[in-house]
């Protein structure tokens, strides 16, 4: 980081709609928010990347399926493979599974309804750059807003995730039918995390809570940055 | 050449769309519907069918949750 302030990039695809919230949250953390346009050829030297929520490319084909091939994803994949901290939130989580940076997929909610609510989740793993600032077992109240949040992975992958402690967040009350109540997972290297809840929507007391900063601010603690 | 690609949820994968349609049909008086699965039809017009399978694997279907089949239709 060269002594400067941490720079956190937020990708912007056509149809992203939580990018401004994420950039605002980054600013509140005292880090430098950097917008990463979908057609950017590089990551502008950021220290961490947030892939925000929304409906990238209108969710055409499958959520995240088209965004996965955006130009900015090539340097993002390199960054992730080299251990750079990446957080996918909601649609960002879907993008990261489509890009195979995270295992599994997000299916339609079992209710067939869009769910927009505040849910309680438990932090199951604190050894990721995005949860290092939380206590193990800590409960957070975070907003969810999604149509495809029903985490699916084959039984072998699920067992692997559980055995390796790669379930990062777990719902206390499952809102969407997710396997094993999974709200978030990380990759094998633990630097890439995908979660369905929206920490950026509770990142300012003006929004009723800033509990989400525990997640987003974790990356400033140095794990992986 | 025209290619028709059929993508559908893998066997055993939850198909809430299919379930919703299945429960809607009896409401309209259609009886005896044992199962409904909702998939996606993609029609391509391509120079050659050589790469259709790769297109299916890499984009048109998500092999984690979906299976696909395709045929040249003209």
């Amino acid at each position: 980081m060269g002594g400067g302030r941490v720079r956190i990039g937020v990708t912007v695809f056509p149809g992203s709609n939580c990018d401004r919230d994420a950039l605002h949250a980054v600013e509140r953390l005292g880090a430098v928010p950097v917008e990463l346009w979908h057609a950017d050829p590089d990551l502008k030297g950021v220290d961490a990347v947030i892939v925000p929520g929304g409906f990238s490319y209108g969710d055409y084909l499958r959520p995240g399926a088209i965004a996965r091939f955006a130009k900015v994803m090539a340097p993002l994949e390199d960054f992730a493979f080299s251990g750079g901290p990446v957080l996918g939130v909601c649609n960002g989580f879907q993008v990261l599974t489509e890009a195979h940076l995270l295992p599994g997929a997000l299916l339609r909610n079992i209710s067939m309804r869009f769910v927009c609510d505040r849910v309680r989740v438990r932090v199951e793993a604190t050894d990721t750059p995005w949860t290092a600032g939380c206590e193990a077992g800590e409960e957070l109240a975070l907003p969810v807003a999604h149509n495809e949040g029903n985490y699916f992975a084959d039984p072998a992958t699920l067992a692997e995730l559980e055995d390796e402690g790669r379930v990062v967040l777990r719902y206390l009350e499952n809102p969407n039918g997710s396997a094993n109540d999974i709200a978030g997972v990380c990759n094998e290297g633990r630097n890439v995390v995908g979660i369905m809840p929206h920490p950026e929507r509770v990142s300012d007391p003006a929004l009723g809570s800033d509990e989400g900063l525990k997640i987003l601010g974790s990356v400033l603690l140095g794990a992986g940055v | 050449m025209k290619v028709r690609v059929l993508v559908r949820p893998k066997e055993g994968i939850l198909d809430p769309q299919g379930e919703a349609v299945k429960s809607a049909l009896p409401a309209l008086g259609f009886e005896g519907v044992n199962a409904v699965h909702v998939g996606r039809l993609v029609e391509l017009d391509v120079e050659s069918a050589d790469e259709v399978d790769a297109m299916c694997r890499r984009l048109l279907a998500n092999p984690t949750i979906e299976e696909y089949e395709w045929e040249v239709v003209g």
Side-chain angles (χ1 to χ4, degrees):
Chain A
M1 289 181 277
R5 283 197 294 158
V6 174
R7 291 159 54 81
I8 302 181
V10 176
T11 57
V12 184
F13 302 104
S16 295
N17 65 12
C18 300
D19 45 312
R20 296 285 291 272
D21 309 52
L23 291 162
H24 176 75
V26 168
E27 210 167 314
R28 286 207 19 99
L29 289 169
V32 181
V34 180
E35 219 173 71
L36 300 172
W37 187 237
H38 64 91
D40 281 343
D42 60 65
L43 300 184
K44 302 180 181 170
V46 296
D47 302 296
V49 179
I50 298 170
V51 185
F55 298 87
S56 59
Y57 299 89
D59 273 356
Y60 290 168
L61 203 58
R62 295 177 303 278
I66 312 281
R68 181 256 154 116
F69 295 99
K71 196 169 182 183
V72 76
M73 287 302 289
L76 190 149
E77 284 171 26
D78 291 342
F79 181 75
F81 287 133
S82 65
V86 178
L87 176 70
V89 174
C90 197
N91 185 233
F93 186 7
Q94 296 161 341
V95 172
L96 296 179
T97 59
E98 282 284 342
H100 306 300
L101 291 172
L102 290 172
L106 283 311
L107 302 174
R108 281 294 275 278
N109 297 342
I110 197 163
S111 62
M112 281 298 281
R113 295 209 170 99
F114 191 94
V115 51
C116 183
D117 206 349
R118 192 169 292 202
V119 299
R120 297 197 66 79
V121 296
R122 192 171 55 234
V123 179
E124 301 277 68
T126 54
D127 53 347
T128 84
W130 300 100
T131 49
C134 304
E135 304 286 331
E138 182 173 357
E139 292 177 11
L140 301 172
L142 301 174
V144 288
H146 57 250
N147 201 33
E148 285 90 0
N150 178 352
Y151 185 78
F152 169 84
D154 60 66
T157 305
L158 277 180
E160 195 180 297
L161 289 172
E162 295 289 358
D163 290 349
E164 296 174 1
R166 288 165 54 194
V167 175
V168 176
L169 296 183
R170 210 184 295 268
Y171 299 114
L172 296 183
E173 283 162 30
N174 193 330
N176 52 30
S178 272
N180 296 13
D181 303 327
I182 288 173
V185 298
C186 68
N187 67 342
E188 230 178 313
R190 312 194 76 82
N191 59 307
V192 180
V193 172
I195 58 176
M196 286 313 294
H198 287 272
E200 79 287 355
R201 293 192 187 180
V202 278
S203 61
D204 193 316
L207 299 170
S209 161
D210 61 1
E211 223 166 339
L213 292 180
K214 284 189 180 167
I215 301 235
L216 301 173
S218 285
V219 78
L220 302 181
L221 298 177
V225 176
Chain B
M1 88 182 32
K2 291 195 168 36
V3 172
R4 191 171 285 164
V5 180
L6 187 62
V7 181
R8 56 184 155 208
K10 265 188 186 169
E11 184 80 34
I13 299 268
L14 174 85
D15 177 10
Q17 290 190 81
E19 287 300 316
V21 174
K22 186 184 158 201
S23 57
L25 287 170
L28 294 173
F30 297 105
E31 299 297 337
V33 179
N34 295 324
V36 177
H37 294 292
V38 176
R40 185 187 314 121
L41 179 71
V42 183
E43 290 178 323
L44 304 171
D45 188 342
V46 290
E47 298 293 319
S48 132
D50 290 354
E51 292 192 299
V52 170
D53 211 67
M55 293 178 197
C56 292
R57 272 183 280 115
R58 293 204 54 209
L59 179 61
L60 303 181
N62 179 345
T64 306
I65 50 174
E66 295 170 326
E67 59 185 23
Y68 63 87
E69 56 191 68
W70 59 272
E71 57 175 346
V72 176
V73 291

